[in-house]
Amino acid sequence: MQDYDLTLQHVLWRIEKLFRRKEVVTKREQGVHRISYGDLVPRINQLAGALKRLGVKPGDRVATLAWNNWRHLELYYAIPCMGAVLHTLNLRLFPKDLEFVIKDADDTILFVDRTLVPILNQLAGKLPSVKQIVLMTDGEPAPENQLGKMLDYEALLKAESPEFAWPVLEERNAAAMCYTSGTTGNPKGVVYSHRSQFIHTMGVLQVDNLALSERDVVFPIVPMFHANSWGLPYACGMVGSKVIFPDRFMGDAKSVVELARDEEATILAGVPTIWTTTAAYLKETGIRLPKVHTVICGGSAIPRALMVAMDEVGLRMLHAWGMTETSPLGSTARVRSWVPPEEELEKRLTQGLVVPGVEIRIADPASGVELPWDGVAFGEIQVRGSWIASGYYNGYDPGKLTDDGWFRTGDVAKIDPDGHILIVDRTKDVIKSGGEWISSVDLENAIMGHPKVLEAAVIGLPHPKWDERPVAFVVARPEFKGKVSEDEIKDFLKDKVAKWWLPDEVRFIDEVPKTSVGKFDKKVLRGNAAAIATTAEAPAKG
Ligand code: ADP
């Protein structure tokens, strides 16, 4: 067989040769922006020319601080295909973390969307590696800033030829990098190679996985700065699906629903928090999205109540699991042929089966001993495969690989005899009470099944006798604010969880703090909870 290098240039070749007429649609303040792949390709070539003229060399890191839009997609192709490394910056990182990742990656050129200039401006004067900032705008000037002279993206492109002689790349060259969001310690860089991205793309496309086809209209609401938008941009390019980008209008259910409806989306993708508000909006307005056949959902476990609510408004969720370090696709919960209809929901709520190309095992985190797939024993998920990280950029956290080369994910799960993965918790979130483990995820899901509850997050707080006890933080649905009590929640849980799992306390809050990628931020809850407990015990003032 030929020794053919697997690179992203192949995806670029396909959009140019086969899918010129297919569209990339981006939401704008008013209406949408449309461009065909046929018109995108010359722009990608011009962009590569501009990068070369700016002095970008093979292996240089080029950063993007951008929303999901067509220019970001141009960068997704031009940077890796000309031999440089696409470094997508998480725009929701704290400024100190953003500064850290730009320095750590040693980014040389940075592309920024006009609306994100204020974020970058917080780092003015602190980015010594960045030789040039390029502004992406539709013509409006950049907001006030101290970033120095920025080049204009469109002007840069205009000055270049619409042809570009792509270099010959090796498949093991770095193509892209993404930092974990740093829930503990500094963010850590994960470097994706051309080969890993190529094989991941093929994995994503399989029918029992995300199953994108040319006929699909794909709407990735998961940010392009987060694990390459779950690999969807390249997967769409490989098979020629039309893509819809939300730009900065990601968090608002109305605009998500309207865009999906108007552009006839068939596949939506995003984290559970997006679907909680979307399901409520659809229910309230009566609007339906009959063309959508799949809502890919990952990033955190799908609460049962959410999957049921989505089923009720005609949206079928496909549960997927993964992490930045797994490119990210690790498992998908497609229902297998022998599962009777009454058991389908149960199976869809698991994290599903490990995808072809990846191997999985669970192991006791302390002893490392492998545990059986009996649906009872739970331990840390370990994975290996060609799109699984072997370590972090600059050698951080070297202990992530086991002695025999499996990646330690930090997720705790059971696996049943049929191979369904059921994530119990993250190792750092599991609650250890009296020597036994309580799954914060299971408790949250049970509480979120209460009709008056919108969201619930559970953490373990220190306890003198039991080491830790669960405390639930609950957000009531707007119409039930102030009308749901702690006892009501505890009563509701009585026949759903073991007695010793019942939270010691239920505290009502207005909103669960979220991480930069929309997951419950338990670190913040823990920090605040300690403060609340201390205040509560302090003698009353005066
Ligand atoms: P971060 O680590 O910065 O939150 P990632 O997206 O890499 O960003 O997070 C990966 C983690 O998210 C996984 O290790 C797991 O804990 C959690 N996760 C992802 N998908 C699921 C899912 N379907 N069910 C439960 N947890 C999930």
Side-chain angles (χ1 to χ4, degrees), residues 42-43 45-55 75 109-111 132-136 150-161:
R43 287 173 56 86
N45 292 344
Q46 288 171 317
L47 177 56
L51 289 167
K52 200 168 171 185
R53 196 175 300 278
L54 288 171
L75 290 156
I109 312 279
L110 194 157
F111 289 79
Q132 185 61 59
I133 297 173
V134 181
L135 176 70
M136 298 189 283
M150 290 188 260
L151 295 176
D152 178 74
Y153 183 90
E154 294 298 331
L156 267 185
L157 262 59
K158 252 194 210 110
E160 300 296 330
S161 156

Side-chain angles (χ1 to χ4, degrees), residues 273-502:
T273 41
I274 290 172
W275 309 122
T276 307
T277 50
T278 305
Y281 179 77
L282 290 172
K283 204 166 168 191
E284 184 188 305
T285 57
I287 301 175
R288 293 294 177 265
L289 300 170
K291 297 244 157 131
V292 174
H293 58 73
T294 309
V295 176
I296 304 164
C297 184
S300 45
I302 304 180
R304 175 185 300 265
L306 175 59
M307 193 174 276
V308 170
M310 289 285 275
D311 278 344
E312 281 167 7
V313 293
L315 293 179
R316 189 175 167 97
M317 299 183 98
L318 171 64
H319 200 182
W321 164 84
M323 56 201 306
T324 305
E325 293 88 333
T326 64
S327 291
L329 190 65
S331 72
T332 45
R334 293 273 181 201
V335 179
R336 281 183 284 179
S337 55
W338 62 80
V339 174
E342 64 277 13
E343 285 174 27
E344 278 199 9
L345 182 64
E346 237 31 71
K347 301 292 185 249
R348 289 168 59 211
L349 283 167
T350 70
Q351 279 71 20
L353 310 176
V354 70
V355 299
V358 179
E359 289 177 26
I360 194 166
R361 68 185 187 191
I362 44 174
D364 184 293
S367 65
V369 170
E370 196 175 341
L371 298 170
W373 291 17
D374 58 7
V376 179
F378 50 89
E380 185 186 36
I381 300 182
Q382 300 179 351
V383 284
R384 66 175 182 187
S386 60
W387 64 75
I388 308 298
S390 52
Y392 293 106
Y393 193 61
N394 282 337
Y396 296 124
D397 205 358
K400 289 298 276 188
L401 284 197
T402 62
D403 290 344
D404 55 350
W406 292 63
F407 184 82
R408 302 172 53 127
T409 64
D411 283 340
V412 178
K414 311 172 194 177
I415 304 183
D416 75 12
D418 273 343
H420 296 99
I421 303 162
L422 193 64
I423 295 200
V424 175
D425 229 322
R426 288 186 113 168
T427 39
K428 59 182 190 294
D429 291 338
V430 79
I431 300 160
K432 286 143 205 134
S433 174
E436 300 286 342
W437 282 13
I438 297 176
S439 157
S440 66
V441 173
D442 282 359
L443 263 179
E444 285 160 6
N445 285 344
I447 300 171
M448 285 192 272
H450 192 289
K452 295 184 181 172
V453 171
L454 184 69
E455 285 180 334
V458 174
I459 57 169
L461 285 186
H463 188 279
K465 182 164 175 201
W466 304 109
D467 289 340
E468 275 185 344
R469 288 294 302 153
V471 172
F473 291 80
V474 172
V475 181
R477 290 188 179 276
E479 61 275 31
F480 295 113
K481 222 170 162 187
K483 294 184 194 144
V484 50
S485 68
E486 172 159 6
D487 287 345
E488 229 175 313
I489 302 285
K490 287 186 179 167
D491 276 350
F492 178 76
L493 289 177
K494 275 195 181 126
D495 58 353
K496 297 179 179 67
V497 298
K499 195 156 171 251
W500 58 277
W501 277 40
L502 286 179

Side-chain angles (χ1 to χ4, degrees), residues 228-299:
N228 283 353
S229 197
W230 297 347
L232 293 169
Y234 295 133
C236 288
M238 192 72 115
V239 293
S241 321
K242 169 178 166 180
V243 198
I244 312 171
F245 287 133
D247 201 70
R248 62 185 195 278
F249 308 94
M250 286 201 187
D252 145 37
K254 182 171 182 290
S255 92
V256 163
V257 167
E258 287 176 358
L259 194 57
R261 182 194 57 195
D262 297 349
E263 295 299 327
E264 306 191 325
T266 62
I267 297 181
L268 315 178
V271 295
T273 41
I274 290 172
W275 309 122
T276 307
T277 50
T278 305
Y281 179 77
L282 290 172
K283 204 166 168 191
E284 184 188 305
T285 57
I287 301 175
R288 293 294 177 265
L289 300 170
K291 297 244 157 131
V292 174
H293 58 73
T294 309
V295 176
I296 304 164
C297 184

